[in-house]
């Protein structure tokens, strides 16, 4: 595990703006103190506006989806800043430690951080934004939309001004989620592709002997940690608002109904699915590329070495000639040992990390599986 300074999540640096270029990250206060203040004030301001425009203040204050948004929005703000800070500080050093060329590093960073990341965030969150908007205005089986239906969200008493306010907030939160998802989707493609195209032959010694691959996999491990924090918060929110398991009124008759009724769980399940798939893709492509480099470097020398070592040591009686022969055999044996050692190191890359990431994905996967199981036997 890397011990670089950027790997410490619990630090003031994690809460400071690090030049990610993500527009939400950029417009938030750049200092750690300012970010914490924003995480407190933004939900408070949103709540106060809702309190001012609602038709029923008592119902507004008592509505779970309203009052629990206070900490849920704060969680989004904190996680987005920490993820942006982590990748802004750790991505380039991690890729350079693996000796990817400048063009590959620039391409990965451009898609992960900056203008294109903003586009990706909107696209990644688009389905969920459209879903919430559709359910807020489209009449369901009861003849009412989910916003007004007391058996669904039950916001009718709050007034339609609050519906607009809620949708604005939900859309913002889905874009924040979109940054996390788009980041993983882009790097799944670009990093795996870069690994497959890189010639690691000149750098085998430094990468494998000095474990220079650890920085990148530490970055992925820390990403999984922040995603777990986000997932647990999400599970807590939908549990407190009564949406963790389907209500009696919910009818699940096909894939479309699942997509419509399970957006929160689907989002965190999708996020961890991409992280896990990416983890395996990185491991497979990196191991294959390093194995190719070892074979290209030592295959010919290894064959010659084995052929030489298979012959008995000649005794010429000439000390100088015997010394040359002995040196050749030692060098041949060293080539074989290095090839075997390097391949053994390659085969062990990331094994522990895979288990760690899978463990962090377990809560989201278990909750999703349990909800699907509930649906299969009917609502409680």
């Amino acid at each position: 595990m890397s011990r670089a300074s950027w790997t410490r999540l619990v630090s003031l640096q994690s809460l400071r703006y690090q030049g990610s270029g993500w527009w939400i990250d950029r417009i938030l206060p750049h200092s750690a103190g300012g970010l914490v203040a924003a995480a407190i004030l933004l939900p408070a301001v949103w709540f106060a506006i809702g309190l001012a425009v609602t038709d029923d203040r008592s119902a507004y204050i008592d509505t779970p989806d309203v009052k629990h948004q206070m900490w849920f929005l704060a969680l989004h703000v904190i996680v987005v800043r920490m993820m942006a800070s982590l990748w802004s500080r750790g991505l380039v050093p991690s890729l350079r430690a693996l000796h990817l060329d400048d063009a590959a590093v620039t391409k990965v960073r451009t898609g992960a951080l900056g203008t294109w990341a903003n586009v990706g965030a909107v696209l990644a969150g688009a389905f969920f934004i459209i879903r919430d908007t559709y359910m807020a205005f489209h009449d369901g089986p009861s003849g009412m939309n989910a916003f007004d239906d007391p058996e669904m969200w039950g916001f009718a008493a709050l007034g339609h001004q609050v519906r607009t306010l809620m949708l604005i907030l939900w859309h913002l939160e889905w874009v924040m989620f979109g940054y996390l998802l788009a980041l993983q989707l882009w790097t799944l493609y670009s990093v795996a592709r870069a690994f497959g195209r890189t010639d690691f032959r000149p750098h085998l010694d430094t990468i494998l002997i000095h474990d220079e691959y650890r920085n990148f996999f530490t970055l992925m491990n820390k990403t999984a940690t922040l995603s777990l924090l986000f997932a647990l918060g999400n599970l807590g929110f939908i549990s407190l608002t009564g949406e963790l398991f389907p209500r009696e009124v919910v009818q699940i008759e096909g894939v479309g109904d699942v997509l419509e009724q399970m957006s929160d769980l689907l989002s965190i399940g999708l996020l961890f699915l991409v992280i896990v798939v990416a983890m395996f893709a990185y491991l497979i492509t990196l191991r294959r590329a390093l194995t190719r480099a070892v074979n290209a470097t030592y295959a010919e020398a290894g064959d010659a070495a084995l052929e030489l070592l298979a012959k008995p040591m000649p005794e010429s009686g000439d000390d100088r000639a015997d010394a040359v022969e002995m040196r050749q055999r030692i060098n041949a044996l060293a080539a074989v040992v290095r090839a075997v050692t390097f391949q053994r190191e390659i085969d062990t890359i990331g094994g522990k990390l895979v288990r760690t990431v899978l463990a962090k994905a377990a809560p989201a996967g278990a909750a999703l599986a349990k909800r699907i199981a509930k649906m299969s036997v009917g609502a409680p």
Side-chain angles (χ1 to χ4, degrees):
M1 191 70 69
S2 172
R3 295 185 178 180
S5 59
W6 57 262
T7 64
R8 291 194 292 272
L9 296 179
V10 184
S11 70
L12 292 178
Q13 287 298 324
S14 290
L15 298 177
R16 294 185 179 124
Y17 180 67
Q18 303 291 342
S20 69
W22 294 359
W23 70 267
I24 290 180
D25 186 35
R26 187 169 63 239
I27 65 176
L28 289 169
H30 288 196
S31 67
L35 189 279
V36 172
I40 297 172
L41 291 176
L42 286 176
V45 169
W46 174 86
F47 184 86
I49 294 173
L51 192 62
V53 302
T54 184
D55 294 341
D56 188 333
R57 291 189 173 184
S58 296
Y60 178 82
I61 294 172
D62 291 337
T63 300
D65 282 89
V66 171
K67 61 186 178 183
H68 292 303
Q69 281 292 345
M70 299 287 283
W71 64 264
F72 196 45
L73 176 57
L75 176 67
H76 278 74
V77 170
I78 295 295
V79 170
V80 165
R81 168 55 58 83
M82 293 181 72
M83 190 73 79
S85 173
L86 173 68
W87 279 73
S88 295
R89 292 180 294 148
L91 178 60
V92 172
S94 297
L95 297 179
R96 292 201 184 283
L98 285 164
H99 301 278
L100 271 62
D101 61 52
D102 291 341
V105 173
T106 300
K107 183 174 182 178
V108 173
R109 191 189 188 284
T110 299
L113 306 164
T115 302
W116 287 111
N118 296 317
V119 176
V122 174
L123 293 176
F127 165 77
F128 302 101
I129 291 172
I130 294 170
R131 175 263 185 188
D132 283 356
T133 305
Y134 173 82
M135 291 192 69
F137 291 96
H138 175 75
D139 289 345
S142 67
M144 294 182 288
N145 59 55
F147 188 93
D148 293 333
D149 191 340
E151 298 298 326
M152 292 294 289
W153 299 343
F155 296 162
L158 308 184
H160 285 176
Q161 303 95 319
V162 174
R163 174 172 63 184
T164 301
L165 192 65
M166 293 292 291
L167 284 176
I168 291 172
L169 178 62
W170 290 343
H171 293 174
L172 177 63
E173 290 177 339
W174 282 126
V175 173
M176 292 183 181
F177 163 78
Y179 279 110
L180 308 185
L181 181 60
L183 176 68
Q184 298 309 313
L185 288 171
W186 168 252
T187 51
L188 168 58
Y189 162 76
S190 60
V191 172
R193 185 168 182 263
F195 284 169
R197 293 187 169 195
T198 299
D199 182 5
F200 290 105
R201 284 180 296 178
H203 312 292
L204 283 173
D205 288 359
T206 54
I207 291 175
L208 295 175
I209 295 175
H210 299 293
D211 295 339
E212 291 186 335
Y213 56 83
R214 290 184 182 273
N215 278 348
F216 179 76
F217 289 112
T218 298
L219 176 63
M220 293 306 302
N221 188 31
K222 298 299 180 179
T223 298
T225 298
L226 288 176
S227 299
L228 174 61
L229 173 64
F230 181 78
L232 291 176
N234 205 316
L235 290 172
F237 177 77
I238 60 179
S239 177
L240 291 170
T241 56
E243 296 182 15
L244 183 57
F245 300 111
R247 300 179 175 93
E248 292 183 8
V249 72
V250 173
Q251 300 294 323
I252 302 297
E253 299 177 353
V255 175
D257 292 326
V258 172
L259 294 175
E260 180 178 323
Q261 299 295 340
M262 297 177 60
S263 65
D264 292 289
L265 272 180
L266 280 175
S267 65
I268 58 174
L270 179 60
L271 178 62
F272 272 105
L273 175 63
V274 174
I275 290 175
V276 171
V277 170
M279 191 74 256
F280 280 102
Y282 300 145
L283 283 175
I284 291 170
T285 53
L286 181 60
R287 286 179 177 180
R288 284 179 177 174
L290 290 172
T291 297
R292 286 198 304 270
V294 169
N295 290 338
T297 304
Y298 294 106
E300 185 176 344
D303 291 342
L306 293 175
E307 184 178 349
L308 180 62
L309 293 172
K311 299 177 181 178
M313 176 73 179
E315 297 182 6
S316 64
D318 184 341
D319 292 343
R320 181 174 297 180
D322 290 345
V324 171
E325 177 70 21
M326 180 62 70
R327 187 178 300 110
Q328 290 178 341
R329 289 172 174 267
I330 291 174
N331 290 338
L333 182 60
V336 174
V337 171
R338 286 167 70 86
V340 171
T341 301
F342 282 167
Q343 190 57 57
R344 182 178 179 182
E345 181 71 16
I346 291 170
D347 292 340
T348 62
I349 287 176
K352 182 179 180 181
L353 181 59
V354 167
R355 294 190 294 272
T356 301
V357 171
L358 288 174
K360 292 175 181 177
L368 187 59
K370 188 172 182 179
R371 182 163 181 178
I372 291 174
K374 281 280 188 181
M375 288 179 172
S376 68
V377 298

